[in-house]
Coordinates of all heavy atoms in Angstrom, one line a residue:
M1 N -14.5 7.6 -5.3 CA -13.9 6.3 -5.3 C -12.7 6.4 -4.3 O -11.9 7.3 -4.4 CB -13.4 5.9 -6.7 CG -12.7 4.5 -6.8 SD -12.3 4.1 -8.5 CE -11.2 2.8 -8.2
T2 N -12.5 5.4 -3.5 CA -11.4 5.3 -2.5 C -10.1 5.1 -3.3 O -10.0 4.2 -4.0 CB -11.6 4.2 -1.5 OG1 -12.9 4.4 -0.9 CG2 -10.5 4.2 -0.5
K3 N -9.1 6.0 -3.0 CA -7.8 5.8 -3.6 C -7.0 4.8 -2.7 O -7.0 5.0 -1.5 CB -7.1 7.1 -3.7 CG -7.7 8.0 -4.7 CD -6.9 9.3 -4.8 CE -7.5 10.2 -5.9 NZ -6.8 11.5 -6.0
M4 N -6.4 3.9 -3.4 CA -5.6 2.9 -2.7 C -4.2 2.8 -3.3 O -4.1 3.2 -4.5 CB -6.3 1.5 -2.7 CG -7.6 1.5 -1.9 SD -7.4 1.7 -0.1 CE -6.6 0.1 0.3
P5 N -3.3 2.2 -2.6 CA -2.0 2.0 -3.2 C -2.1 1.2 -4.5 O -2.9 0.2 -4.6 CB -1.2 1.3 -2.2 CG -1.8 1.7 -0.9 CD -3.3 1.8 -1.2
E6 N -1.3 1.5 -5.5 CA -1.3 0.8 -6.8 C -0.1 -0.1 -6.9 O 1.0 0.4 -6.6 CB -1.4 1.8 -7.9 CG -2.7 2.6 -7.9 CD -2.7 3.8 -8.8 OE1 -1.6 4.1 -9.4 OE2 -3.8 4.4 -8.9
I7 N -0.2 -1.3 -7.3 CA 0.9 -2.3 -7.3 C 1.3 -2.5 -8.8 O 0.4 -2.7 -9.7 CB 0.5 -3.6 -6.8 CG1 -0.3 -3.5 -5.4 CG2 1.7 -4.5 -6.6 CD1 0.5 -2.9 -4.3
D8 N 2.5 -2.3 -9.1 CA 3.1 -2.7 -10.4 C 3.5 -4.2 -10.3 O 4.5 -4.5 -9.8 CB 4.3 -1.8 -10.7 CG 4.8 -2.1 -12.1 OD1 4.6 -3.2 -12.6 OD2 5.4 -1.1 -12.7
R9 N 2.7 -5.0 -10.8 CA 2.9 -6.5 -10.7 C 4.2 -6.9 -11.4 O 4.7 -7.9 -11.0 CB 1.7 -7.2 -11.3 CG 0.4 -7.0 -10.6 CD -0.8 -7.8 -11.2 NE -0.5 -9.2 -11.2 CZ -0.7 -10.0 -10.2 NH1 -1.2 -9.6 -9.1 NH2 -0.4 -11.3 -10.4
D10 N 4.6 -6.2 -12.4 CA 5.8 -6.6 -13.1 C 7.1 -6.3 -12.2 O 8.1 -7.0 -12.4 CB 5.9 -5.9 -14.4 CG 4.9 -6.3 -15.4 OD1 4.5 -7.5 -15.3 OD2 4.5 -5.5 -16.2
K11 N 7.0 -5.3 -11.3 CA 8.1 -4.9 -10.5 C 8.2 -5.7 -9.2 O 9.3 -6.0 -8.7 CB 8.1 -3.5 -10.2 CG 8.4 -2.6 -11.4 CD 8.5 -1.1 -10.9 CE 8.8 -0.2 -12.0 NZ 8.8 1.3 -11.6
C12 N 7.0 -6.1 -8.6 CA 7.0 -6.7 -7.3 C 7.7 -8.1 -7.3 O 7.4 -8.9 -8.2 CB 5.5 -6.9 -6.9 SG 5.4 -7.7 -5.3
D13 N 8.6 -8.2 -6.4 CA 9.3 -9.5 -6.3 C 8.9 -10.4 -5.1 O 9.5 -11.4 -4.8 CB 10.8 -9.3 -6.3 CG 11.3 -8.6 -5.1 OD1 10.5 -8.3 -4.1 OD2 12.5 -8.2 -5.0
G14 N 7.8 -9.9 -4.4 CA 7.3 -10.7 -3.3 C 8.1 -10.7 -2.0 O 7.9 -11.6 -1.2
C15 N 8.9 -9.7 -1.8 CA 9.7 -9.6 -0.6 C 8.9 -9.5 0.7 O 9.4 -9.9 1.7 CB 10.8 -8.5 -0.7 SG 10.1 -6.9 -0.5
G16 N 7.8 -8.9 0.6 CA 6.9 -8.9 1.8 C 7.1 -7.7 2.7 O 6.5 -7.6 3.8
L17 N 8.1 -6.8 2.4 CA 8.4 -5.7 3.3 C 7.2 -4.8 3.5 O 6.9 -4.3 4.6 CB 9.5 -4.9 2.8 CG 10.9 -5.5 2.9 CD1 12.0 -4.7 2.2 CD2 11.3 -5.7 4.3
C18 N 6.4 -4.6 2.4 CA 5.2 -3.7 2.5 C 4.2 -4.3 3.5 O 3.5 -3.6 4.2 CB 4.7 -3.4 1.2 SG 4.2 -4.9 0.3
I19 N 4.0 -5.6 3.4 CA 3.1 -6.3 4.3 C 3.4 -6.1 5.7 O 2.6 -5.9 6.6 CB 3.0 -7.7 3.9 CG1 2.4 -7.9 2.5 CG2 2.1 -8.5 4.9 CD1 2.5 -9.3 1.9
E20 N 4.7 -6.2 6.0 CA 5.2 -6.0 7.4 C 4.9 -4.7 8.0 O 4.6 -4.5 9.2 CB 6.7 -6.3 7.5 CG 7.0 -7.8 7.2 CD 8.5 -8.0 7.3 OE1 9.2 -7.2 8.0 OE2 9.0 -9.0 6.7
V21 N 5.0 -3.6 7.2 CA 4.8 -2.3 7.7 C 3.3 -1.8 7.7 O 3.0 -0.7 8.2 CB 5.7 -1.2 7.0 CG1 7.2 -1.6 7.2 CG2 5.3 -1.1 5.5
C22 N 2.5 -2.5 7.0 CA 1.1 -2.0 6.8 C 0.3 -2.3 8.1 O -0.1 -3.4 8.4 CB 0.4 -2.7 5.6 SG -1.3 -2.1 5.4
S23 N -0.1 -1.2 8.8 CA -0.8 -1.3 10.0 C -2.3 -1.7 9.8 O -3.0 -2.1 10.7 CB -0.8 0.0 10.8 OG -1.3 1.0 10.0
C24 N -2.8 -1.6 8.6 CA -4.2 -1.9 8.3 C -4.3 -3.3 7.7 O -5.5 -3.8 7.5 CB -4.7 -0.9 7.3 SG -5.0 0.7 8.0
H25 N -3.2 -4.0 7.5 CA -3.3 -5.4 7.0 C -4.1 -5.5 5.7 O -4.9 -6.4 5.6 CB -3.8 -6.3 8.1 CG -3.1 -6.1 9.4 ND1 -1.8 -6.5 9.6 CD2 -3.5 -5.6 10.6 CE1 -1.4 -6.2 10.8 NE2 -2.4 -5.6 11.4
V26 N -4.0 -4.6 4.8 CA -4.7 -4.6 3.6 C -3.9 -5.2 2.4 O -4.5 -5.4 1.4 CB -5.3 -3.2 3.2 CG1 -6.2 -2.7 4.2 CG2 -4.1 -2.3 2.9
L27 N -2.7 -5.5 2.7 CA -1.8 -6.1 1.6 C -1.6 -7.6 1.9 O -1.3 -8.0 3.0 CB -0.5 -5.3 1.6 CG -0.6 -3.8 1.4 CD1 0.8 -3.2 1.6 CD2 -1.2 -3.4 0.1
V28 N -1.7 -8.3 0.8 CA -1.4 -9.8 0.9 C -0.6 -10.3 -0.3 O -0.6 -9.6 -1.4 CB -2.8 -10.6 0.9 CG1 -3.5 -10.4 2.2 CG2 -3.6 -10.2 -0.3
L29 N 0.1 -11.4 -0.1 CA 0.8 -12.0 -1.2 C -0.1 -13.0 -1.9 O -0.6 -13.9 -1.2 CB 2.1 -12.7 -0.7 CG 3.4 -11.9 -0.6 CD1 4.5 -12.7 0.0 CD2 3.8 -11.2 -1.9
V30 N -0.2 -12.9 -3.2 CA -0.9 -13.9 -4.0 C 0.0 -14.3 -5.1 O 0.4 -13.4 -6.0 CB -2.3 -13.3 -4.5 CG1 -3.0 -14.4 -5.4 CG2 -3.2 -12.9 -3.4
D31 N 0.4 -15.6 -5.2 CA 1.3 -16.0 -6.2 C 2.6 -15.2 -6.2 O 3.1 -14.8 -7.3 CB 0.6 -16.0 -7.6 CG -0.5 -17.0 -7.7 OD1 -0.4 -18.1 -6.9 OD2 -1.4 -16.8 -8.4
N32 N 3.0 -14.8 -5.0 CA 4.3 -14.1 -4.8 C 4.3 -12.7 -5.4 O 5.3 -12.1 -5.7 CB 5.5 -14.9 -5.4 CG 6.8 -14.6 -4.6 OD1 6.7 -14.6 -3.4 ND2 7.9 -14.5 -5.3
V33 N 3.1 -12.1 -5.5 CA 2.9 -10.7 -5.9 C 1.9 -10.1 -5.0 O 0.9 -10.7 -4.6 CB 2.4 -10.6 -7.4 CG1 2.1 -9.1 -7.7 CG2 3.4 -11.2 -8.3
V34 N 2.2 -8.9 -4.5 CA 1.3 -8.2 -3.6 C 0.0 -7.7 -4.2 O 0.1 -7.2 -5.3 CB 2.1 -7.0 -2.9 CG1 1.1 -6.0 -2.3 CG2 2.9 -7.6 -1.8
E35 N -1.1 -7.9 -3.5 CA -2.3 -7.4 -3.9 C -3.0 -6.6 -2.8 O -2.7 -6.8 -1.6 CB -3.3 -8.5 -4.4 CG -2.9 -9.1 -5.6 CD -4.0 -10.2 -6.1 OE1 -5.0 -10.3 -5.4 OE2 -3.7 -10.8 -7.1
V36 N -3.8 -5.6 -3.1 CA -4.6 -4.9 -2.1 C -5.8 -5.8 -1.8 O -6.7 -6.0 -2.6 CB -5.0 -3.5 -2.6 CG1 -5.8 -2.8 -1.5 CG2 -3.8 -2.7 -2.9
K37 N -5.9 -6.2 -0.5 CA -7.0 -7.2 -0.1 C -8.3 -6.5 0.2 O -9.3 -6.8 -0.3 CB -6.5 -8.0 1.1 CG -7.5 -9.0 1.6 CD -7.0 -9.7 2.8 CE -6.8 -8.8 4.0 NZ -6.4 -9.5 5.2
E38 N -8.2 -5.5 1.1 CA -9.4 -4.8 1.5 C -9.3 -3.3 1.0 O -8.5 -2.6 1.5 CB -9.5 -4.8 3.1 CG -9.6 -6.2 3.6 CD -11.0 -6.7 3.5 OE1 -11.9 -6.0 3.1 OE2 -11.2 -7.9 3.7
R39 N -10.1 -3.0 0.1 CA -10.0 -1.6 -0.5 C -10.4 -0.6 0.5 O -10.1 0.6 0.3 CB -10.8 -1.5 -1.8 CG -10.3 -2.5 -2.8 CD -10.8 -2.1 -4.2 NE -10.3 -0.8 -4.6 CZ -9.0 -0.6 -5.2 NH1 -8.2 -1.6 -5.3 NH2 -8.7 0.6 -5.6
I40 N -11.2 -0.9 1.5 CA -11.6 0.1 2.5 C -10.6 0.2 3.6 O -10.6 1.2 4.4 CB -13.0 -0.3 3.0 CG1 -13.7 0.9 3.7 CG2 -13.0 -1.5 4.0 CD1 -15.1 0.7 4.1
G41 N -9.8 -0.8 3.8 CA -8.9 -0.8 5.0 C -8.0 0.4 5.1 O -7.9 1.0 6.2
C42 N -7.3 0.8 4.1 CA -6.4 1.9 4.2 C -7.1 3.2 4.5 O -6.6 4.0 5.2 CB -5.7 2.0 2.8 SG -4.3 3.2 2.8
Q43 N -8.3 3.3 4.1 CA -9.1 4.4 4.4 C -9.5 4.4 5.9 O -9.6 5.5 6.6 CB -10.4 4.5 3.5 CG -11.2 5.7 3.7 CD -12.5 5.7 2.9 OE1 -13.0 4.6 2.7 NE2 -12.9 6.8 2.5
Q44 N -9.9 3.3 6.4 CA -10.3 3.2 7.8 C -9.3 3.6 8.8 O -9.7 4.2 9.8 CB -10.7 1.7 8.1 CG -12.1 1.4 7.6 CD -12.5 -0.1 8.0 OE1 -11.6 -0.9 8.1 NE2 -13.8 -0.3 8.2
C45 N -8.0 3.4 8.5 CA -7.0 3.8 9.5 C -6.9 5.3 9.5 O -6.2 5.9 10.4 CB -5.7 3.1 9.2 SG -4.7 3.9 7.8
S46 N -7.4 6.0 8.5 CA -7.4 7.5 8.4 C -5.9 8.0 8.3 O -5.7 9.1 8.7 CB -8.1 8.1 9.6 OG -9.4 7.7 9.5
K47 N -5.0 7.1 7.9 CA -3.6 7.6 7.9 C -3.1 7.7 6.4 O -2.3 8.6 6.2 CB -2.7 6.5 8.6 CG -3.0 6.6 10.1 CD -2.1 5.5 10.7 CE -2.3 5.4 12.2 NZ -1.6 4.3 12.8
W48 N -3.5 6.7 5.6 CA -2.8 6.6 4.3 C -1.3 6.9 4.5 O -0.7 7.8 3.9 CB -3.4 7.7 3.3 CG -4.8 7.5 3.0 CD1 -5.3 6.6 2.0 CD2 -6.0 8.1 3.5 NE1 -6.7 6.6 1.9 CE2 -7.1 7.6 2.8 CE3 -6.2 9.1 4.5 CZ2 -8.4 8.0 3.1 CZ3 -7.5 9.5 4.8 CH2 -8.6 8.9 4.1
C49 N -0.7 6.0 5.3 CA 0.6 6.3 5.8 C 1.7 6.3 4.8 O 2.7 6.9 5.0 CB 0.9 5.3 6.9 SG 1.1 3.6 6.3
T50 N 1.5 5.7 3.7 CA 2.5 5.6 2.6 C 3.7 4.8 2.9 O 4.7 4.8 2.2 CB 2.9 7.0 2.0 OG1 3.8 7.6 2.9 CG2 1.7 7.9 1.6
M51 N 3.7 4.1 4.0 CA 4.8 3.3 4.4 C 5.1 2.2 3.4 O 6.3 1.9 3.1 CB 4.5 2.6 5.8 CG 4.6 3.6 7.0 SD 6.3 4.2 7.2 CE 7.1 2.7 7.8
C52 N 4.1 1.6 2.8 CA 4.3 0.6 1.8 C 5.1 1.1 0.6 O 6.1 0.5 0.2 CB 3.0 0.0 1.3 SG 1.8 1.3 0.8
E53 N 4.8 2.3 0.2 CA 5.6 2.9 -0.9 C 7.0 3.2 -0.5 O 7.9 3.0 -1.3 CB 4.9 4.2 -1.3 CG 5.6 4.9 -2.5 CD 4.9 6.2 -2.9 OE1 3.7 6.1 -3.2 OE2 5.5 7.2 -2.9
M54 N 7.2 3.7 0.8 CA 8.5 4.1 1.2 C 9.5 2.9 1.4 O 10.7 3.0 1.1 CB 8.4 4.8 2.5 CG 7.9 6.2 2.3 SD 8.1 7.3 3.8 CE 6.7 6.7 4.7
V55 N 8.9 1.7 1.8 CA 9.8 0.6 2.1 C 10.1 -0.3 0.9 O 11.0 -1.1 0.9 CB 9.3 -0.3 3.2 CG1 9.2 0.5 4.5 CG2 8.0 -1.0 2.8
C56 N 9.3 -0.1 -0.2 CA 9.5 -1.0 -1.3 C 10.8 -0.8 -2.0 O 11.0 0.3 -2.5 CB 8.3 -0.9 -2.3 SG 8.5 -2.0 -3.7
P57 N 11.7 -1.8 -2.0 CA 13.0 -1.6 -2.6 C 13.0 -1.5 -4.1 O 14.0 -1.0 -4.7 CB 13.8 -2.8 -2.1 CG 12.8 -3.8 -1.9 CD 11.5 -3.1 -1.5
V58 N 12.0 -1.8 -4.8 CA 12.0 -1.8 -6.2 C 11.0 -0.8 -6.8 O 10.7 -0.8 -8.0 CB 11.7 -3.3 -6.8 CG1 12.8 -4.2 -6.4 CG2 10.4 -3.8 -6.3
G59 N 10.3 0.0 -6.0 CA 9.4 1.0 -6.5 C 8.1 0.4 -7.1 O 7.6 0.9 -8.1
A60 N 7.6 -0.7 -6.5 CA 6.5 -1.4 -7.1 C 5.2 -0.9 -6.6 O 4.1 -1.2 -7.1 CB 6.6 -2.9 -6.9
I61 N 5.2 0.0 -5.6 CA 4.0 0.6 -5.0 C 4.0 2.1 -5.2 O 4.9 2.8 -4.8 CB 3.8 0.2 -3.5 CG1 3.7 -1.3 -3.3 CG2 2.6 0.9 -2.9 CD1 3.3 -1.7 -1.9
Q62 N 2.9 2.6 -5.6 CA 2.6 4.0 -5.7 C 1.4 4.4 -5.0 O 0.3 3.7 -5.2 CB 2.5 4.4 -7.2 CG 3.6 4.1 -8.1 CD 4.8 5.0 -7.8 OE1 4.7 6.2 -7.5 NE2 6.0 4.5 -7.8
C63 N 1.5 5.3 -4.0 CA 0.3 5.8 -3.3 C -0.2 7.0 -4.0 O 0.4 8.1 -4.0 CB 0.7 6.1 -1.9 SG 1.1 4.7 -0.9
P64 N -1.4 6.9 -4.7 CA -1.9 8.0 -5.5 C -2.7 9.0 -4.6 O -3.7 9.5 -5.0 CB -2.9 7.3 -6.4 CG -3.4 6.2 -5.6 CD -2.3 5.7 -4.7
F65 N -2.1 9.4 -3.5 CA -2.7 10.4 -2.7 C -1.6 11.2 -2.0 O -0.5 10.7 -1.8 CB -3.7 9.8 -1.7 CG -3.2 8.5 -1.1 CD1 -2.3 8.5 -0.1 CD2 -3.8 7.3 -1.5 CE1 -1.9 7.3 0.5 CE2 -3.3 6.1 -1.0 CZ -2.4 6.1 0.0
D66 N -2.0 12.4 -1.6 CA -1.0 13.3 -0.9 C -1.3 13.2 0.6 O -2.5 13.2 1.0 CB -1.2 14.8 -1.4 CG -0.8 14.9 -2.9 OD1 0.2 14.2 -3.3 OD2 -1.4 15.7 -3.5
V67 N -0.2 13.2 1.4 CA -0.4 13.2 2.8 C -0.1 14.7 3.3 O 0.9 15.2 3.1 CB 0.6 12.2 3.5 CG1 0.4 12.3 5.0 CG2 0.3 10.8 3.0
I68 N -1.1 15.2 4.0 CA -1.0 16.6 4.5 C -1.0 16.5 6.0 O -1.9 16.0 6.6 CB -2.2 17.5 4.0 CG1 -2.2 17.5 2.5 CG2 -2.1 18.9 4.6 CD1 -3.5 18.2 1.9
T69 N 0.1 17.1 6.6 CA 0.2 17.1 8.1 C -0.2 18.5 8.6 O 0.2 19.5 8.0 CB 1.6 16.7 8.5 OG1 2.5 17.6 7.9 CG2 1.9 15.3 8.1
E70 N -0.9 18.5 9.7 CA -1.3 19.7 10.3 C -0.3 20.1 11.3 O 0.2 19.3 12.0 CB -2.7 19.6 10.9 CG -3.8 19.4 9.9 CD -5.1 19.2 10.6 OE1 -5.2 19.1 11.8 OE2 -6.1 19.2 9.9
E71 N 0.0 21.4 11.5 CA 1.0 21.9 12.5 C 0.3 22.0 13.8 O -0.9 22.2 13.9 CB 1.6 23.2 12.0 CG 2.4 23.0 10.8 CD 3.3 24.2 10.5 OE1 3.5 25.0 11.4 OE2 3.7 24.4 9.3
Ligands
SF4_101 S1 -0.6 3.4 2.8 FE1 -0.2 2.5 4.8 S2 -2.2 1.7 5.5 FE2 -2.3 2.0 3.3 S3 -1.7 0.1 2.3 FE3 0.1 1.3 2.5 S4 1.1 0.7 4.4 FE4 -1.0 0.0 4.5
SF4_102 S1 7.8 -4.2 -0.8 FE1 7.6 -4.0 -3.0 S2 8.6 -5.8 -3.9 FE2 8.3 -6.2 -1.7 S3 6.3 -7.3 -1.7 FE3 5.8 -5.2 -1.4 S4 5.4 -4.3 -3.5 FE4 6.4 -6.3 -3.7

C-alpha cells in the first residue's frame, strides 16, 4: 500500500502552506481542511519530499515514511 502524508483534521486550520510547497499537487482544501487528493501523486514524484510536514505550523501533517539520501 502506498504511504501518503496523514492529515490530522482536528489540527488543520486551512492555512494552505502545505499546498503551496507540494510539487505534486496532491493536497487540496475541502471545507477548509486539507485532504490528500491523489494517493498516487506523491509516489510519482519519487521524492516523498516531506515539505508539507515541515511547513505545517500546527503539526497537522505526518509523513509516515523515512527519507534516505544517497551520498
Ligand atoms: S511529501 Fe511532498 S510531494 Fe508528498 S504530499 Fe507532501 S509536499 Fe507533496
Ligand atoms: S500547513 Fe498544516 S494547518 Fe496549514 S493547511 Fe496544511 S495541514 Fe492544514
Side-chain angles (χ1 to χ4, degrees):
M1 182 177 165
T2 303
K3 291 183 177 178
M4 294 293 290
E6 295 166 355
I7 315 295
D8 186 331
R9 295 180 58 84
D10 293 330
K11 288 184 179 177
C12 177
D13 64 8
C15 72
L17 287 175
C18 57
I19 296 172
E20 291 180 22
V21 300
C22 179
S23 59
C24 286
H25 309 293
V26 295
L27 304 173
V28 291
L29 273 181
V30 178
D31 295 331
N32 214 39
V33 174
V34 157
E35 289 185 2
V36 179
K37 178 180 65 173
E38 298 284 349
R39 298 197 65 79
I40 196 170
C42 187
Q43 183 184 32
Q44 279 182 328
C45 79
S46 300
K47 291 178 182 173
W48 292 281
C49 67
T50 72
M51 286 293 291
C52 52
E53 180 180 303
M54 286 191 280
V55 300
C56 181
V58 295
I61 296 188
Q62 299 290 320
C63 290
F65 37 79
D66 295 324
V67 177
I68 300 172
T69 54
E70 295 179 351
E71 295 191 21

